[in-house]
Amino acid sequence: MEIKRGIPVAPGVAIGPALMLDTESFRIPQRAIAVAGVAAELQRLGLAMEAAVEEARGNQKAISDKLGTQYGAIFGAHALLMTDPALAREIEGLIRDQHFAAEYAVSRVIRRYAKALESIEWGPLAARAADLFDIEKVILGNLLGQRKEQMRDLKEPVIVLAHDLTPSETAALDPHMVHAFATEAGGRASHTAIMAGVLEIPAVVGLGKFVTDVSGGDFVIVDGNRGVLILNPDEETLERYEHTRSSFRTFESGLLELRDLPAETRDGTTIHLLGNIEFPQEASHCLDRGAGGVGLYRTEFLYLGKKTHPTEEDHLEAYVTVLKTLGAQKPVVIRTLDLGADKFPSHAGGHSDERNPSLGVRSVRLCLRNLTLFKTQLRAILRASALGDVRIMFPMVSTLLELRQCKMILAEVKEDLEEEGIAFNRQLPVGTMIEVPSAAILADLMAREVNFFSIGTNDLIQYTLAADRTNQEVASLYSAGDPAVLRLIDNVVKAARQYNVSVNVCGEMAAEPMYTMLLLGLGLRHLSVTPHNIPEIKKIVRSITLEEAVEVAREAMLLETARGVNSYLRERTRRILPEVFG
Ligand code: PEP
Ligand code: MG
């Protein structure tokens, strides 16, 4: 048995066989296969090799036609190498005799050849090592492609283990079959982590190296409450976790009974609990969990699986679905596209070579450079505003000028619609995310420009502490409880109050029960969280008085370190929700 500790990002416990999902960068674990699986593995290898040879021949022809046969010959040589019977014999031998998975066998043989060639310091043969790596990449690409296909027709529940998952890969997991996932990489607020909440499956990220210690089919436990992955658990651990799993389920179904009760503190203060969504279908998750509306609709997920920009009608269709599900009374805050950084960077309009994408052309920066893209979405949001309580919000605003530019473009689009006689809400409330420290510091100036603020703690923490939200190596720096973050939030709430602007928190901090008392005590009355987390937060809200929350916030603000703040808050919350922190 081996226990790995990482970052818990979605609660719950799952127990089951592991499925190793390999990464684009082809880190191949030394996976063993069952004896009975040898024939199928050889067949898988054969198909992958055949496809690779075919691809090389196709490239040979295309390049020869275009540039001349001497260039096409490079691919001809690849095809020849791959059809070399000695190579196939050696790879097949590793599968047949040592029961290695095809990926590992291919990688091992080709790398041995490449190493031998690399040791020749000069001459034409030395350069052939690069060709071998190329060949390896193509064959592995085919093999791993087949594995991804397999993901679509899983016959039994599994726990997905991977070095890392992109948001798109995570979104493609079928929660009926994938009961949890755990990754070596990733941080608390990475979009992969957020997607775990959407799928409502337990997840742990940032575990550090483990994929070489486990084989597909091994039994594993993912504890999403404590951030633990257990490989090959012993009988006693298994029994203990079976028990934890069933008591957590009872706890969760008990929470659902709170659905129709008001989110009100014991002394009668109403807290607005809203849902964060990525897909229109999630609007129903909000209703199921008793959300008061949608506090954050992350529209960039309209790009998932798409090769082209969504049209105005694509946008509108998605927004109308949400409005129809929620009804005309509940507010829906539609955030304009936050593309770039780790969110669908391939759509980021040719900025994929940025050294530091989180500090680059992301979000409104991207939209303001691509007005066609921006206006297409603004038109759809405005058109949807005629049908329900739609509000618009701009992400990643870092200067006042940027916010004013966004509003100016919105005004232009309104004029266009007016001229075209298309209906929209002329009083459409406009808000800005406060997720860059500069915006938090200038909150008093920002407040004069908008109707509402939404504090995006995921990015605010990242930019305040200069700690990448997706990087487990700096996860200990990345903390919502850091005094610098708390002071910024405090500043934003005070500015909002002064200018009578409503303020919400929509980052993951709002979904973490240990911060609920603090946020209420700082003056927040709107929290927007993954729908799954609403009942738990409501339970805390209904268990405390505002007076208690104010005292907690006052105490927390006096503490000097994130560690001090977090242990204080954990202790205060443990008294209310022992099921989560016990
Ligand atoms: C945030 O940064 O806190 C936020 C809600 O936006 P996202 O997670 O989509 O970047
Ligand atoms: Mg953000």
Side-chain angles (χ1 to χ4, degrees):
M1 173 164 105
E2 207 173 325
I3 300 175
K4 302 276 177 189
R5 287 177 201 284
I7 305 165
V9 291
V13 169
I15 304 170
L19 185 132
M20 310 298 298
L21 200 64
D22 301 318
T23 62
E24 289 295 292
S25 53
F26 308 127
R27 280 171 35 93
I28 307 302
Q30 188 176 342
R31 189 180 25 239
I33 52 165
V35 180
V38 166
E41 201 65 2
L42 288 172
Q43 195 189 12
R44 213 161 72 78
L45 172 74
L47 289 174
M49 298 279 277
E50 256 171 45
V53 172
E54 213 170 287
E55 187 181 325
R57 295 221 167 102
N59 283 340
Q60 180 184 9
K61 180 165 177 350
I63 303 290
S64 299
D65 291 349
K66 215 163 151 187
L67 302 173
T69 46
Q70 71 273 38
Y71 294 101
I74 298 169
F75 293 98
H78 285 190
L80 264 181
L81 264 168
M82 286 188 279
T83 44
D84 179 352
L87 181 80
R89 229 183 355 258
E90 213 174 313
I91 299 174
E92 285 166 10
L94 286 183
I95 297 174
R96 198 175 292 117
D97 306 333
Q98 305 207 35
H99 305 148
F100 287 144
E103 290 90 343
Y104 182 67
V106 165
S107 182
R108 203 164 126 157
V109 171
I110 292 191
R111 271 160 197 262
R112 195 173 63 72
Y113 278 32
K115 204 168 167 190
L117 289 178
E118 269 178 344
S119 67
I120 304 168
E121 280 181 12
W122 55 272
L125 276 181
R128 298 309 282 268
D131 284 331
L132 281 166
F133 286 125
D134 239 12
I135 289 172
E136 180 198 32
K137 204 168 166 187
V138 175
I139 303 175
L140 290 181
N142 291 340
L143 282 167
L144 298 172
Q146 290 169 23
R147 194 162 287 280
K148 279 180 191 143
E149 286 295 312
Q150 287 173 4
M151 282 292 294
R152 273 182 229 141
D153 41 51
L154 287 170
K155 300 278 182 301
E156 59 165 35
V158 292
I159 291 178
V160 163
L161 303 182
H163 168 65
D164 200 5
L165 293 169
T166 63
S168 327
E169 281 169 337
T170 317
L173 300 178
D174 170 6
H176 297 296
M177 282 301 167
V178 177
H179 282 188
F181 74 78
T183 59
E184 292 185 333
R188 189 175 297 284
S190 58
H191 293 98
T192 305
I194 291 168
M195 288 307 298
V198 175
L199 296 168
E200 306 193 343
I201 55 175
V204 181
V205 302
L207 284 150
K209 289 198 183 328
F210 70 78
V211 292
T212 44
D213 303 340
V214 56
S215 300
D218 281 356
F219 235 63
V220 298
I221 298 174
V222 172
D223 178 347
N225 301 329
R226 290 177 182 77
V228 171
L229 167 70
I230 304 176
L231 309 176
N232 298 309
D234 58 28
E235 276 304 312
E236 191 197 322
T237 311
L238 211 51
E239 228 169 82
R240 190 157 43 83
Y241 264 100
E242 297 280 9
H243 180 255
T244 313
R245 181 167 60 174
S246 74
S247 46
F248 191 75
R249 280 185 186 152
T250 316
F251 163 66
E252 288 223 301
S253 47
L255 282 179
L256 278 180
E257 288 164 14
L258 299 177
R259 182 183 175 278
D260 298 318
L261 299 176
E264 211 174 76
T265 59
R266 281 193 0 245
D267 46 358
T269 303
T270 298
I271 306 299
H272 302 271
L273 294 184
L274 306 150
N276 289 351
I277 64 169
E278 285 71 26
F279 304 103
Q281 307 82 290
E282 286 176 273
S284 64
H285 294 192
C286 293
L287 287 185
D288 295 345
R289 300 310 195 313
V294 169
L296 168 64
Y297 180 2
R298 291 182 166 99
T299 55
E300 52 279 1
F301 280 81
L302 280 166
Y303 278 81
L304 194 74
K306 290 246 176 66
K307 289 207 164 51
T308 53
H309 292 301
T311 62
E312 183 178 326
E313 295 308 317
D314 292 335
H315 279 285
L316 186 62
E317 191 187 325
Y319 308 155
V320 170
T321 306
V322 174
L323 292 172
K324 277 194 181 150
T325 310
L326 287 183
Q329 306 307 320
K330 287 195 166 47
V332 176
V333 177
I334 304 180
R335 183 176 74 180
T336 59
L337 294 166
D338 184 13
L339 292 168
D342 66 325
K343 290 180 199 167
F344 313 107
S346 56
H347 290 285
H351 298 280
S352 54
D353 55 348
E354 286 179 315
R355 283 257 193 109
N356 210 335
S358 292
L359 303 180
V361 186
R362 177 187 165 184
S363 272
V364 284
R365 300 174 186 182
L366 192 117
C367 288
L368 287 170
R369 284 168 183 228
N370 188 340
L371 291 184
T372 311
L373 171 95
F374 198 21
K375 286 187 172 181
T376 302
Q377 179 174 33
L378 296 182
R379 282 178 67 92
I381 295 175
L382 282 165
R383 284 172 66 189
S385 74
L387 308 169
D389 185 355
V390 169
R391 303 166 190 197
I392 187 169
M393 176 161 79
F394 300 114
M396 271 288 290
V397 169
S398 46
T399 69
L400 203 57
L401 199 64
E402 220 171 24
L403 179 56
R404 287 185 182 149
Q405 281 173 329
C406 291
K407 285 169 57 187
M408 207 173 71
I409 307 294
L410 181 67
E412 279 179 24
V413 175
K414 279 183 177 177
E415 257 175 49
D416 291 347
L417 291 185
E418 194 96 56
E419 269 174 29
E420 292 168 45
I422 296 174
F424 63 93
N425 174 13
R426 286 181 183 73
Q427 263 71 51
L428 173 78
V430 176
T432 180
M433 297 273 302
I434 302 284
E435 53 182 345
V436 180
S438 57
I441 293 165
L442 297 184
D444 55 335
L445 301 182
M446 298 277 174
R448 296 178 217 173
E449 301 281 334
V450 291
N451 305 104
F452 65 92
F453 282 159
S454 195
I455 306 177
T457 50
N458 303 340
D459 279 311
L460 188 62
I461 300 167
Q462 149 164 282
Y463 294 126
T464 303
L465 291 154
D468 182 345
R469 63 194 269 187
T470 68
N471 182 351
Q472 82 275 15
E473 300 295 334
V474 289
S476 59
L477 283 172
Y478 184 98
S479 173
D482 194 281
V485 176
L486 302 192
R487 287 188 194 193
L488 287 177
I489 295 176
D490 190 40
N491 191 49
V492 175
V493 176
K494 284 184 177 141
R497 196 176 287 149
Q498 187 187 347
Y499 290 92
N500 203 19
V501 155
S502 80
V503 54
N504 174 37
V505 175
C506 64
E508 296 308 294
M509 181 185 189
E512 285 190 57
M514 71 187 242
Y515 295 116
T516 311
M517 279 198 273
L518 168 75
L519 293 174
L520 266 50
L522 287 176
L524 284 143
R525 300 291 176 267
H526 293 74
L527 301 176
S528 190
V529 304
T530 303
H532 186 69
N533 295 104
I534 290 176
E536 204 174 31
I537 302 297
K538 192 188 270 187
K539 169 133 175 132
I540 298 195
V541 168
R542 290 178 56 82
S543 309
I544 58 169
T545 62
L546 202 58
E547 207 179 316
E548 273 172 315
V550 170
E551 184 219 318
V552 165
R554 200 169 34 229
E555 286 292 321
M557 292 299 279
L558 294 175
L559 299 169
E560 293 175 356
T561 62
R563 186 179 290 195
V565 171
N566 288 337
S567 56
Y568 170 69
L569 295 178
R570 213 173 280 125
E571 183 45 39
R572 292 295 305 242
T573 314
R574 192 198 311 269
R575 293 185 211 159
I576 300 165
L577 264 193
E579 296 90 336
V580 171
F581 291 105

